[in-house]
Amino acid sequence: MKIGMCMFLWTTAVSKKHEPLLRDIKATGFDGVEIPIFAGMPDDYKKLGDLLDRIGLERTAVSAMGDPSMNLISADAATRKAGIAYMKWAVDCADALGARTLSGPLHSTLGAFSGSGPTPAEKNRSIASQRAIGDHAGTRNVTIGLEALNRFECYLFNTMADLSEHIDAVGRPHIKAMYDTFHANIEEADPIGAYTKHRRNVVHIHISENDRGVPGRGNIPWKETFAAIRKSGYDDWLTIEAFGRSLKDLAAATKVWRDFSESPEAVYRDGYKHIRNGWKKAA
Protein backbone atom coordinates (compact mmCIF):
# COMPACT_ATOMS: atom_id res chain seq x y z
CA MET A 1 0.00 0.00 0.00
CA LYS A 2 1.16 3.52 -0.82
CA ILE A 3 -0.02 6.74 0.82
CA GLY A 4 -0.47 9.80 -1.37
CA MET A 5 -1.51 13.43 -0.95
CA CYS A 6 -3.56 15.23 -3.59
CA MET A 7 -2.24 18.71 -4.30
CA PHE A 8 -5.75 20.11 -4.82
CA LEU A 9 -5.56 21.41 -1.24
CA TRP A 10 -3.12 24.07 -2.49
CA THR A 11 -3.13 24.35 -6.25
CA THR A 12 -4.19 23.06 -9.65
CA ALA A 13 -0.74 23.86 -11.08
CA VAL A 14 2.15 22.33 -9.15
CA SER A 15 5.54 23.90 -9.90
CA LYS A 16 9.02 24.35 -8.48
CA LYS A 17 7.70 27.00 -6.11
CA HIS A 18 5.97 24.18 -4.24
CA GLU A 19 9.25 22.37 -3.60
CA PRO A 20 9.40 23.22 0.15
CA LEU A 21 5.85 21.88 0.59
CA LEU A 22 6.62 18.76 -1.44
CA ARG A 23 9.69 18.12 0.68
CA ASP A 24 7.67 18.44 3.88
CA ILE A 25 5.07 16.02 2.49
CA LYS A 26 7.93 13.61 1.82
CA ALA A 27 9.36 14.15 5.31
CA THR A 28 5.94 13.40 6.80
CA GLY A 29 6.19 9.92 5.33
CA PHE A 30 4.13 10.06 2.15
CA ASP A 31 5.12 7.80 -0.72
CA GLY A 32 3.89 10.22 -3.35
CA VAL A 33 1.63 13.07 -4.41
CA GLU A 34 -1.29 13.42 -6.79
CA ILE A 35 -0.61 16.05 -9.43
CA PRO A 36 -3.47 18.02 -11.05
CA ILE A 37 -3.36 18.23 -14.84
CA PHE A 38 -5.26 21.18 -16.28
CA ALA A 39 -2.82 23.21 -18.36
CA GLY A 40 0.63 23.09 -19.88
CA MET A 41 2.48 20.68 -22.14
CA PRO A 42 3.95 17.20 -21.60
CA ASP A 43 7.43 18.71 -21.32
CA ASP A 44 6.29 20.81 -18.36
CA TYR A 45 5.17 17.65 -16.58
CA LYS A 46 8.42 15.89 -17.48
CA LYS A 47 10.31 18.65 -15.65
CA LEU A 48 7.95 18.35 -12.68
CA GLY A 49 8.47 14.59 -12.68
CA ASP A 50 12.22 15.15 -12.56
CA LEU A 51 11.75 17.40 -9.50
CA LEU A 52 9.64 14.75 -7.79
CA ASP A 53 12.32 12.17 -8.55
CA ARG A 54 14.92 14.33 -6.85
CA ILE A 55 12.69 14.70 -3.79
CA GLY A 56 11.89 11.00 -3.76
CA LEU A 57 8.14 11.23 -4.34
CA GLU A 58 6.19 8.92 -6.61
CA ARG A 59 3.13 10.34 -8.30
CA THR A 60 -0.37 9.81 -9.65
CA ALA A 61 -2.38 12.31 -11.69
CA VAL A 62 -5.85 13.81 -11.46
CA SER A 63 -7.98 15.98 -13.71
CA ALA A 64 -11.57 17.00 -14.42
CA MET A 65 -13.54 18.39 -17.34
CA GLY A 66 -15.48 21.54 -16.55
CA ASP A 67 -15.87 22.93 -20.06
CA PRO A 68 -19.20 22.00 -21.75
CA SER A 69 -17.51 22.42 -25.13
CA MET A 70 -15.59 19.19 -24.40
CA ASN A 71 -18.43 17.07 -23.04
CA LEU A 72 -17.71 13.43 -23.84
CA ILE A 73 -21.41 12.50 -23.85
CA SER A 74 -22.67 15.40 -25.96
CA ALA A 75 -24.95 14.73 -28.91
CA ASP A 76 -22.62 16.93 -30.95
CA ALA A 77 -19.80 14.95 -32.55
CA ALA A 78 -17.41 17.93 -32.61
CA THR A 79 -17.88 18.46 -28.88
CA ARG A 80 -17.08 14.81 -28.15
CA LYS A 81 -14.06 15.00 -30.45
CA ALA A 82 -12.75 17.98 -28.47
CA GLY A 83 -13.22 16.08 -25.22
CA ILE A 84 -11.36 13.06 -26.54
CA ALA A 85 -8.53 15.32 -27.67
CA TYR A 86 -8.36 16.86 -24.20
CA MET A 87 -8.18 13.44 -22.60
CA LYS A 88 -5.44 12.30 -24.97
CA TRP A 89 -3.48 15.42 -24.04
CA ALA A 90 -4.01 14.73 -20.32
CA VAL A 91 -2.85 11.13 -20.77
CA ASP A 92 0.28 12.33 -22.56
CA CYS A 93 0.99 14.76 -19.70
CA ALA A 94 0.46 12.03 -17.10
CA ASP A 95 2.85 9.77 -18.98
CA ALA A 96 5.49 12.52 -19.16
CA LEU A 97 5.03 13.11 -15.44
CA GLY A 98 5.68 9.45 -14.75
CA ALA A 99 2.18 8.79 -13.42
CA ARG A 100 0.65 5.45 -14.32
CA THR A 101 -2.87 6.40 -13.21
CA LEU A 102 -4.97 9.44 -14.15
CA SER A 103 -8.15 9.69 -12.12
CA GLY A 104 -11.18 11.93 -11.70
CA PRO A 105 -14.67 12.48 -13.13
CA LEU A 106 -13.29 12.07 -16.63
CA HIS A 107 -16.52 10.87 -18.20
CA SER A 108 -18.67 14.02 -18.45
CA THR A 109 -18.69 17.74 -17.75
CA LEU A 110 -18.36 18.50 -14.05
CA GLY A 111 -21.30 20.51 -12.76
CA ALA A 112 -23.32 20.30 -15.98
CA PHE A 113 -26.86 18.91 -15.75
CA SER A 114 -29.54 18.04 -18.29
CA GLY A 115 -32.44 18.16 -15.86
CA SER A 116 -32.90 14.39 -15.91
CA GLY A 117 -30.91 11.22 -15.44
CA PRO A 118 -28.52 9.78 -18.01
CA THR A 119 -30.14 8.49 -21.18
CA PRO A 120 -29.22 5.29 -23.05
CA ALA A 121 -27.92 7.48 -25.89
CA GLU A 122 -25.61 9.38 -23.52
CA LYS A 123 -24.26 6.14 -22.10
CA ASN A 124 -23.64 4.78 -25.59
CA ARG A 125 -21.80 7.94 -26.55
CA SER A 126 -19.77 7.59 -23.36
CA ILE A 127 -18.81 4.04 -24.27
CA ALA A 128 -17.52 5.18 -27.66
CA SER A 129 -15.62 8.11 -26.16
CA GLN A 130 -14.02 6.01 -23.44
CA ARG A 131 -12.97 3.32 -25.90
CA ALA A 132 -11.13 5.92 -27.97
CA ILE A 133 -9.50 7.32 -24.83
CA GLY A 134 -8.69 3.86 -23.52
CA ASP A 135 -6.98 2.86 -26.75
CA HIS A 136 -4.72 5.91 -26.53
CA ALA A 137 -4.08 5.40 -22.81
CA GLY A 138 -2.94 1.88 -23.57
CA THR A 139 -0.21 3.19 -25.86
CA ARG A 140 1.08 5.31 -22.96
CA ASN A 141 0.62 2.68 -20.24
CA VAL A 142 -1.61 5.06 -18.29
CA THR A 143 -4.79 3.74 -16.67
CA ILE A 144 -7.80 6.04 -16.31
CA GLY A 145 -9.66 5.78 -13.00
CA LEU A 146 -13.16 7.10 -13.66
CA GLU A 147 -14.86 8.54 -10.59
CA ALA A 148 -18.50 8.27 -9.57
CA LEU A 149 -19.55 11.63 -8.14
CA ASN A 150 -22.44 12.58 -5.91
CA ARG A 151 -25.65 13.78 -7.56
CA PHE A 152 -24.88 17.45 -6.82
CA GLU A 153 -21.74 17.40 -8.99
CA CYS A 154 -22.74 15.19 -11.94
CA TYR A 155 -25.58 13.03 -13.18
CA LEU A 156 -23.93 10.41 -15.38
CA PHE A 157 -22.47 8.13 -12.70
CA ASN A 158 -23.35 8.54 -9.03
CA THR A 159 -22.84 4.99 -7.75
CA MET A 160 -20.10 2.41 -8.06
CA ALA A 161 -22.61 -0.07 -9.46
CA ASP A 162 -23.53 2.17 -12.39
CA LEU A 163 -19.90 3.12 -13.00
CA SER A 164 -18.65 -0.45 -12.85
CA GLU A 165 -21.35 -1.67 -15.22
CA HIS A 166 -20.29 1.04 -17.65
CA ILE A 167 -16.63 0.11 -17.39
CA ASP A 168 -17.50 -3.48 -18.18
CA ALA A 169 -19.37 -2.25 -21.27
CA VAL A 170 -16.41 -0.11 -22.37
CA GLY A 171 -14.20 -3.19 -22.20
CA ARG A 172 -10.83 -1.47 -22.28
CA PRO A 173 -8.11 -2.54 -19.79
CA HIS A 174 -6.93 1.05 -19.34
CA ILE A 175 -10.39 2.37 -18.42
CA LYS A 176 -11.14 1.49 -14.81
CA ALA A 177 -12.68 3.03 -11.67
CA MET A 178 -11.68 5.10 -8.68
CA TYR A 179 -13.39 4.70 -5.29
CA ASP A 180 -13.85 7.90 -3.27
CA THR A 181 -15.01 7.67 0.35
CA PHE A 182 -16.60 11.16 0.27
CA HIS A 183 -18.90 10.46 -2.66
CA ALA A 184 -19.70 6.93 -1.47
CA ASN A 185 -20.74 8.37 1.90
CA ILE A 186 -23.36 10.50 0.13
CA GLU A 187 -24.66 8.18 -2.58
CA GLU A 188 -24.22 4.60 -1.45
CA ALA A 189 -26.67 2.85 0.88
CA ASP A 190 -23.76 0.55 1.72
CA PRO A 191 -20.47 2.39 1.09
CA ILE A 192 -18.35 -0.62 2.09
CA GLY A 193 -20.31 -2.98 -0.13
CA ALA A 194 -20.08 -0.51 -3.00
CA TYR A 195 -16.31 -0.98 -2.85
CA THR A 196 -16.15 -4.73 -2.28
CA LYS A 197 -18.73 -5.62 -4.94
CA HIS A 198 -16.84 -3.68 -7.60
CA ARG A 199 -13.28 -4.14 -6.41
CA ARG A 200 -12.38 -5.83 -9.71
CA ASN A 201 -12.54 -2.47 -11.48
CA VAL A 202 -10.98 -0.26 -8.80
CA VAL A 203 -7.45 0.98 -9.56
CA HIS A 204 -7.27 4.01 -7.26
CA ILE A 205 -8.77 5.13 -3.94
CA HIS A 206 -9.34 8.60 -2.53
CA ILE A 207 -9.39 8.90 1.23
CA SER A 208 -11.68 11.84 1.89
CA GLU A 209 -13.61 12.75 5.02
CA ASN A 210 -17.34 13.40 4.88
CA ASP A 211 -16.72 17.16 5.21
CA ARG A 212 -13.61 17.18 2.94
CA GLY A 213 -11.46 18.04 5.97
CA VAL A 214 -8.96 16.03 8.02
CA PRO A 215 -9.39 12.26 7.45
CA GLY A 216 -10.35 10.61 10.71
CA ARG A 217 -12.21 13.53 12.25
CA GLY A 218 -15.60 12.95 10.63
CA ASN A 219 -18.16 10.18 10.32
CA ILE A 220 -16.77 7.97 7.54
CA PRO A 221 -16.67 4.37 8.91
CA TRP A 222 -12.90 4.19 8.67
CA LYS A 223 -12.35 0.98 10.61
CA GLU A 224 -14.67 -0.94 8.31
CA THR A 225 -13.36 0.87 5.24
CA PHE A 226 -9.71 0.03 5.84
CA ALA A 227 -10.61 -3.55 6.78
CA ALA A 228 -12.55 -4.03 3.54
CA ILE A 229 -9.83 -2.51 1.38
CA ARG A 230 -7.09 -4.58 2.98
CA LYS A 231 -9.12 -7.79 2.93
CA SER A 232 -9.83 -7.28 -0.78
CA GLY A 233 -6.12 -7.51 -1.58
CA TYR A 234 -5.88 -3.92 -2.77
CA ASP A 235 -2.24 -2.86 -2.39
CA ASP A 236 -2.00 0.39 -4.30
CA TRP A 237 -2.61 4.09 -3.58
CA LEU A 238 -4.64 5.48 -0.70
CA THR A 239 -4.56 9.17 -1.56
CA ILE A 240 -5.89 11.93 0.68
CA GLU A 241 -8.17 14.35 -1.14
CA ALA A 242 -9.16 17.43 0.83
CA PHE A 243 -10.15 20.95 -0.16
CA GLY A 244 -9.74 24.43 1.24
CA ARG A 245 -10.45 28.04 0.34
CA SER A 246 -7.03 29.05 -0.95
CA LEU A 247 -8.07 28.67 -4.60
CA LYS A 248 -11.21 30.69 -5.32
CA ASP A 249 -12.27 28.84 -8.49
CA LEU A 250 -11.62 25.39 -7.03
CA ALA A 251 -13.39 26.32 -3.80
CA ALA A 252 -16.42 27.38 -5.83
CA ALA A 253 -16.38 24.20 -7.90
CA THR A 254 -16.18 22.00 -4.79
CA LYS A 255 -18.64 24.14 -2.80
CA VAL A 256 -16.14 24.96 -0.06
CA TRP A 257 -17.43 27.96 1.86
CA ARG A 258 -15.66 27.46 5.21
CA ASP A 259 -12.43 26.08 6.61
CA PHE A 260 -12.49 22.37 7.43
CA SER A 261 -9.27 22.29 9.42
CA GLU A 262 -7.03 24.57 11.42
CA SER A 263 -4.31 24.33 8.75
CA PRO A 264 -3.29 22.42 5.62
CA GLU A 265 -0.50 20.86 7.67
CA ALA A 266 -3.09 19.27 9.95
CA VAL A 267 -4.75 17.68 6.93
CA TYR A 268 -1.69 15.92 5.59
CA ARG A 269 0.14 15.24 8.84
CA ASP A 270 -2.84 13.96 10.83
CA GLY A 271 -4.27 12.38 7.69
CA TYR A 272 -1.09 10.43 7.10
CA LYS A 273 -1.14 9.07 10.65
CA HIS A 274 -4.80 8.19 10.26
CA ILE A 275 -4.18 6.07 7.17
CA ARG A 276 -1.04 4.44 8.53
CA ASN A 277 -2.69 3.51 11.83
CA GLY A 278 -5.95 2.43 10.18
CA TRP A 279 -4.13 0.19 7.74
CA LYS A 280 -2.05 -1.38 10.52
CA LYS A 281 -5.10 -2.10 12.67
CA ALA A 282 -6.87 -3.66 9.68
CA ALA A 283 -4.13 -6.29 9.34
Side-chain angles (χ1 to χ4, degrees):
M1 182 272 293
K2 299 176 182 179
I3 302 179
M5 182 67 209
C6 182
M7 297 300 289
F8 272 154
L9 186 58
W10 299 275
T11 184
T12 56
V14 181
S15 67
K16 196 175 188 310
K17 73 178 183 180
H18 296 103
E19 183 172 353
L21 170 61
L22 292 167
R23 289 192 178 278
D24 193 59
I25 290 173
K26 172 64 178 179
T28 299
F30 283 86
D31 298 290
V33 287
E34 190 152 271
I35 301 296
I37 294 178
F38 286 97
M41 298 299 292
D43 188 57
D44 299 320
Y45 291 92
K46 173 64 168 61
K47 293 175 182 176
L48 178 57
D50 291 341
L51 172 63
L52 295 175
D53 286 341
R54 291 194 295 273
I55 296 172
L57 286 169
E58 297 181 52
R59 74 291 324 222
T60 57
V62 64
S63 190
M65 305 178 74
D67 186 349
S69 69
M70 299 189 299
N71 194 351
L72 291 167
I73 62 172
S74 172
D76 178 64
T79 299
R80 297 196 305 276
K81 183 178 179 180
I84 292 170
Y86 173 87
M87 282 302 303
K88 289 181 177 180
W89 163 84
V91 166
D92 290 347
C93 291
D95 179 39
L97 176 69
R100 302 276 59 91
T101 58
L102 170 63
S103 300
L106 301 170
H107 43 66
S108 56
T109 301
L110 181 65
F113 297 91
S114 66
S116 61
T119 66
E122 285 175 323
K123 289 186 176 182
N124 286 336
R125 290 193 288 267
S126 180
I127 289 172
S129 294
Q130 293 301 329
R131 284 176 176 171
I133 294 164
D135 289 342
H136 181 76
T139 69
R140 299 293 188 265
N141 193 28
V142 173
T143 298
I144 308 295
L146 298 179
E147 182 178 17
L149 298 189
N150 69 77
R151 74 194 77 175
F152 308 108
E153 295 183 39
C154 90
Y155 71 95
L156 188 63
F157 300 119
N158 301 133
T159 67
M160 290 300 293
D162 286 344
L163 176 60
S164 193
E165 180 183 31
H166 188 69
I167 287 168
D168 289 342
V170 171
R172 292 295 188 272
H174 289 85
I175 301 294
K176 292 294 183 180
M178 178 176 75
Y179 177 76
D180 185 298
T181 57
F182 170 81
H183 296 294
N185 180 66
I186 295 173
E187 290 296 338
E188 306 286 359
D190 177 7
I192 309 301
Y195 167 77
T196 57
K197 291 175 184 177
H198 307 289
R199 162 68 184 94
R200 71 185 187 280
N201 280 325
V202 175
V203 296
H204 194 58
I205 293 176
H206 269 175
I207 299 298
S208 189
E209 194 51 85
N210 69 286
D211 66 351
R212 291 295 205 186
V214 181
R217 295 187 184 179
N219 63 26
I220 298 292
W222 291 113
K223 179 181 178 181
E224 295 82 0
T225 298
F226 287 129
I229 294 171
R230 187 154 192 169
K231 184 178 180 180
S232 75
Y234 181 87
D235 194 30
D236 218 307
W237 289 97
L238 299 180
T239 296
I240 295 173
E241 184 185 48
F243 294 97
R245 295 192 297 165
S246 60
L247 294 173
K248 186 175 181 180
D249 290 344
L250 186 58
T254 54
K255 310 300 185 288
V256 173
W257 317 125
R258 67 185 191 280
D259 293 324
F260 299 132
S261 64
E262 63 273 26
S263 68
E265 290 79 12
V267 176
Y268 68 85
R269 292 173 184 168
D270 289 359
Y272 175 83
K273 294 175 184 176
H274 169 67
I275 296 176
R276 180 60 66 192
N277 292 337
W279 191 256
K280 184 178 180 180
K281 291 178 180 179

